[in-house]
Amino acid sequence: MTSEPRRDPFSDPLLTPENAALVIIDFQPTQVASVRSMDTALMTKNVVSLAQIGTTFGLPVVLSTVNVANGQQPTVAELKAVLADSPELDRTQINAWEDVEFRAAVEATGRRKLIIAALWTEACLAYPTLDALREGYEVFPVVDAVGGTSAEAHRAGLRRVEAAGAQPVSWVSVATELQRDWARADTVARIREVVIVDRLLKE
């Protein structure tokens, strides 16, 4: 078996470690606890796995919280442990795209493909996704690492962003799209550990 020469990783239409950034918004205890569209323990495991994938491939990470300065708790500990090197950008806006520092952090990545997980689907995922799409970004909501205040709200939020051009993905599809070829040995062991050993064989 012979792999084709690797495509240009910057212009590749699919996600690559060189053309994508990871955006994680509001995975805080209150928001997690209020999700009703999926099991919150599984959702948290999924977003932690997504973060592990992002760090394995060296993706730039934008991590944001809401209202920590006014008493909300910060990012849940298990996620923050993976993203220890990523500063938390706290804000008051429900729509992170309307925060100056958040926008600047996204722009500073230099990436036009945004892999996004945010709570809740119908609000803090939907609003920045819609704004980013309008500004020419490609946005990839990670559907099994987000949740809404009801199953209906989650589905409606995803339908809304998909109709606007967002491209729904799963955390496993992100991992395999970034890996792309098992002959790329540098990341194989870690991706196998995160996706297959730690998760798919243990669920």
Side-chain angles (χ1 to χ4, degrees):
M1 297 293 185
T2 304
S3 298
E4 290 186 349
R6 190 180 181 194
R7 301 175 189 171
D8 180 340
F10 298 98
S11 62
D12 195 320
L14 299 181
L15 295 168
T16 74
E18 293 81 8
N19 69 18
L22 178 60
V23 178
I24 297 182
I25 301 172
D26 299 352
F27 276 83
Q28 298 163 250
T30 298
Q31 285 85 340
V32 170
S34 59
V35 164
R36 295 293 180 268
S37 60
M38 74 176 294
D39 178 79
T40 56
L42 177 58
M43 180 188 70
T44 302
K45 282 184 181 180
N46 289 351
V47 78
V48 168
S49 295
L50 177 67
Q52 291 172 329
I53 291 159
T55 58
T56 296
F57 287 103
L59 299 187
V61 177
V62 178
L63 177 64
S64 185
T65 57
V66 66
N67 260 346
V68 171
N70 295 317
Q72 286 282 332
Q73 292 177 282
T75 301
V76 294
E78 53 267 59
L79 177 58
K80 185 56 182 172
V82 178
L83 300 178
D85 295 332
S86 300
E88 292 177 293
L89 304 174
D90 194 41
R91 56 182 215 286
T92 60
Q93 301 86 352
I94 296 172
N95 179 6
W97 205 257
E98 296 181 274
D99 182 80
V100 171
E101 288 75 21
F102 177 90
R103 285 280 304 281
V106 171
E107 291 167 359
T109 69
R111 310 295 175 88
R112 301 298 294 179
K113 297 181 190 293
L114 306 179
I115 302 162
I116 185 169
L119 297 180
W120 302 304
T121 312
E122 66 269 32
C124 297
L125 182 135
Y127 306 152
T129 294
L130 294 168
D131 275 340
L133 289 167
R134 279 189 285 267
E135 296 200 16
Y137 288 87
E138 293 181 72
V139 187
F140 301 80
V142 187
V143 299
D144 53 355
V146 299
T149 55
S150 67
E152 293 80 4
H154 173 73
R155 288 193 294 267
L158 291 178
R159 284 197 300 269
R160 183 180 183 188
V161 298
E162 188 173 2
Q167 302 175 55
V169 292
S170 70
W171 72 268
V172 171
S173 74
V174 170
T176 54
E177 193 164 339
L178 292 171
Q179 178 64 44
R180 199 79 63 82
D181 186 339
W182 296 118
R184 297 174 189 173
D186 289 350
T187 49
V188 165
R190 180 59 177 151
I191 292 306
R192 183 180 182 278
E193 180 183 11
V194 172
V195 175
I196 299 174
V197 178
D198 282 355
R199 293 301 309 281
L200 299 184
L201 294 181
K202 291 184 178 180
E203 292 296 333

